[in-house]
Amino acid sequence: MPGLLRPLPFVFIAIMAALPALALADPPFTQQTARDIIAASHKVVSPHGVQELKTIDVNGTKQWISVRGNDTRNPILLFIHGGPASPDMPLSYTFQQPWEDFFTVVQWDQRGAGKTYRANDPKAVEAGMTVEQMTSDATAVVQYLRKTYGKRKIFVIGHSWGSILGLNLAHQHPELLYAYIGVGQMIDMPKNEAEVYRFAMEQAKSHQNQKAIDALKALGTYPNPSRPVTLQEIGVVRQWSSAYGGLTFGRDGFNYDADAWQLAPEYDDEDISAIGKGSKFSLDHLLPLLMNYRFANGMTFECPVFLFEGRHDETVPENIAADWFKTVKAPAKELVWFEDSAHMVMQEQSGRFLDHLVHDARPYAVEAGDAAPADIVEH
């Protein structure tokens, strides 16, 4: 027993050494204090690492990226966020840090989103708010990363809306990718919206929620093929599908994520304000284009394709992507189910998510010699 207690004095010595500084530092604890603490705890200190937050030129616009990893010899993983205009850069501190042992991870604020929305005159970029232009933006970001960090290929994750850009990129430029990973993969928007509405109404009736039933019934036929779906209508459907766990399994909304934005080290108050402004701007331009967007069955890809799907996703219903995936041809493909997740899979089951990234996807880069040497274990 004495042997077990021996290390404790060294712990107490370290704590006691810090107490004078703690006693002297008595400013109010602020939002910025919390950001600074998170930034310090997430600082990349590895001698082979990289930590950069910067703007790059993307098709004539300034677009923000965050590049983080503990070893630049590892493969690059580009995360294409959802929304439209719902950036994951201010959420990445909640799930990404373990990824950085195995990948150099890039978060990108797309045209019209977050920090990038703030960095550009909206009138100068609105003509480019199309699926085609933003797919071209994604391609330009991949090319920048390859050239800047000396990589022949990279990995791409497309989440939700970002999975439209990611899947287009994988189909058009497979030579740039080790593999594409779709998370909450969007395939058929009319089917998507009909399924989300069905789920929300079914749950509302099951819970005898008359307020929800009335709000959903007031929409009439949804989606209505004779006219465009409005942002207000989508908001009503998403309000109630999220309330019953369709966004995050076991949670009744998105506040836990929206609150997390407030502490993001990469974002200041004006950046956070830009999220909402950018979302309204982006949806005004993209929503009419998206509501009839479909990927055809039987598509052929020339790079490996993975789908990481939450079993309870009722934001982008998983069964639509699963049925489509059966028809896909690719040199390798795999559908991975996350049984305790809905739409926010990378946060809901972050450990399993990383496990599949490392053991299913990363070997393609390892085989190409694009990975840091494995840790050496001596016995």
Side-chain angles (χ1 to χ4, degrees), residues 58-269:
V58 179
N59 292 325
T61 65
K62 291 181 179 179
Q63 301 196 16
W64 278 91
I65 61 171
S66 163
V67 184
R68 293 177 50 93
N70 289 322
D71 198 320
T72 55
R73 294 171 293 182
N74 277 325
I76 288 176
L77 174 62
L78 170 64
F79 193 103
I80 304 181
H81 66 70
S86 183
D88 273 272
M89 190 185 296
L91 294 177
S92 59
Y93 76 92
T94 68
F95 63 84
Q96 181 182 293
Q97 193 168 17
W99 299 11
E100 296 164 11
D101 284 336
F102 303 96
F103 301 91
T104 297
V105 186
V106 179
Q107 293 286 346
W108 163 44
D109 280 12
Q110 300 160 25
R111 178 185 298 253
K115 292 171 77 72
T116 294
Y117 173 80
R118 184 182 168 196
N120 296 275
D121 178 357
K123 292 182 180 179
V125 301
E126 63 182 353
M129 299 300 295
T130 67
V131 174
E132 293 73 21
Q133 179 60 64
M134 295 178 75
T135 299
S136 176
D137 286 357
T139 305
V141 172
V142 171
Q143 295 285 32
Y144 170 85
L145 296 173
R146 290 173 64 243
K147 180 179 179 180
T148 303
Y149 300 99
K151 302 293 183 179
R152 190 169 65 88
K153 296 183 179 183
I154 74 168
F155 293 97
V156 164
I157 288 177
H159 178 231
S160 196
W161 142 259
S163 70
I164 292 178
L165 305 184
L167 200 64
N168 280 332
L169 172 63
H171 193 248
Q172 295 171 15
H173 294 287
E175 75 280 2
L176 304 181
L177 306 184
Y178 286 120
Y180 167 71
I181 302 111
V183 184
Q185 180 67 52
M186 283 189 169
I187 297 299
D188 186 316
M189 284 301 293
K191 283 185 179 179
N192 193 93
E193 293 310 296
E195 170 64 20
V196 177
Y197 181 88
R198 181 206 60 76
F199 168 80
M201 181 62 82
E202 181 182 86
Q203 291 298 310
K205 289 179 177 178
S206 174
H207 289 82
Q208 299 181 343
N209 185 337
Q210 196 59 47
K211 180 180 178 181
I213 293 169
D214 292 344
L216 292 165
K217 280 186 175 179
L219 300 180
T221 301
Y222 181 89
N224 191 329
S226 65
R227 61 173 178 79
V229 172
T230 68
L231 183 56
Q232 181 181 6
E233 289 172 331
I234 285 185
V236 171
V237 175
R238 288 304 185 282
Q239 174 188 355
W240 295 112
S241 65
S242 297
Y244 293 111
L247 178 69
T248 307
F249 187 47
R251 293 183 185 266
D252 62 2
F254 189 68
N255 285 345
Y256 75 101
D257 261 349
D259 290 344
W261 294 339
Q262 308 297 320
L263 303 182
E266 298 86 357
Y267 268 49
D268 61 24
D269 290 344

Side-chain angles (χ1 to χ4, degrees), residues 17 30 52 55-56 67 83 91 123 142 262 273 280 295 334 368:
T30 65
E52 297 177 337
T55 59
I56 62 174
V67 184
L91 294 177
K123 292 182 180 179
V142 171
Q262 308 297 320
S273 177
K280 175 67 165 58
F295 287 103
E334 184 177 353

